[in-house]
Amino acid sequence: MPAPRPAVLPNPRQILVRLLLVWGVGLVVFGYGLAVVYGKSVWLLNEELWRWIYRMYVAVLPLGIVGVFLLPWLWYRPIHRLVQEWARGRVVTRAQCAKAYERALLLPWQVALSAFATTFFEYLLGAAVVSWQTSQPLVEAVKALPAIPLIGGVKGMFCCFGTARVLEPVVSRC
């Protein structure tokens, strides 16, 4: 029986592109894609309310980009450097490999918490903007609160499992 082949490590660019794709899908589908679903299911909105719904999403867009793209990318950079070292054929020490392994195991959890926290703050900021500008009763803003754990949890889980799947070759290599 032939010996098992070692795991083939994708090149660093492929891993980064896959991570950005996972985070982008999580942000768009579970963040801003909901504006379209919400808009199609709520037929009582007038033109002014529609404008404020889109303004709300524009107001929270930078927060989503920071929480779902920028922070995870910063956390991934040390792992990316090690993968680049491997790709160049340089010898990686056992300590470096262990550190990358620990970071690769921790990264999905960090991404999930960041995505959830981002959703939490986006909903609070968005509800505040809409309530303030449309003179909406406070009870309407409170009705949106159950969506925070639902949407934040789904976005966090998608980003967590997607990140773990993309980093699987790195973890198996270590």
Side-chain angles (χ1 to χ4, degrees):
M1 179 181 285
R5 299 172 74 191
V8 176
L9 190 65
N11 70 40
R13 186 170 182 263
Q14 287 175 326
I15 294 174
L16 184 60
V17 166
R18 289 175 187 169
L19 283 173
L20 292 176
L21 182 65
V22 165
W23 299 335
V25 168
L27 182 67
V28 170
V29 171
F30 302 111
Y32 307 111
L34 295 174
V36 174
V37 173
Y38 179 74
K40 296 299 180 190
S41 64
V42 179
W43 50 274
L44 293 176
L45 295 180
N46 60 29
E47 294 288 326
E48 183 64 22
L49 289 176
W50 267 113
R51 278 194 287 278
W52 280 107
I53 292 296
Y54 288 120
R55 287 177 186 153
M56 173 188 70
Y57 275 96
V58 168
V60 300
L61 180 66
L63 189 59
I65 290 172
V66 167
V68 181
F69 270 112
L70 184 62
L71 287 176
W73 178 73
L74 290 173
W75 296 328
Y76 172 69
R77 283 180 60 198
I79 301 168
H80 187 69
R81 284 190 206 112
L82 184 74
V83 172
Q84 285 178 326
E85 294 293 320
W86 272 332
R88 289 184 192 127
R90 295 195 181 139
V91 177
V92 178
T93 66
R94 187 169 178 84
Q96 288 174 315
C97 196
K99 195 175 221 178
Y101 178 77
E102 290 171 6
R103 286 187 177 176
L105 288 178
L106 184 62
L107 185 63
W109 177 245
Q110 289 175 317
V111 171
L113 286 179
S114 180
F116 182 83
T118 300
T119 303
F120 179 77
F121 289 116
E122 284 174 339
Y123 262 83
L124 292 182
L125 178 65
V129 166
V130 171
S131 294
W132 169 54
Q133 289 298 321
T134 62
S135 301
Q136 191 178 35
L138 184 61
V139 70
E140 293 297 324
V142 172
K143 286 181 185 178
L145 292 179
I148 293 173
L150 175 67
I151 303 304
V154 171
K155 186 193 311 183
M157 282 190 315
F158 180 84
C159 290
C160 174
F161 293 129
T163 302
R165 177 69 178 107
V166 172
L167 291 179
E168 187 178 330
V170 176
V171 172
S172 67
R173 179 89 179 251
C174 288

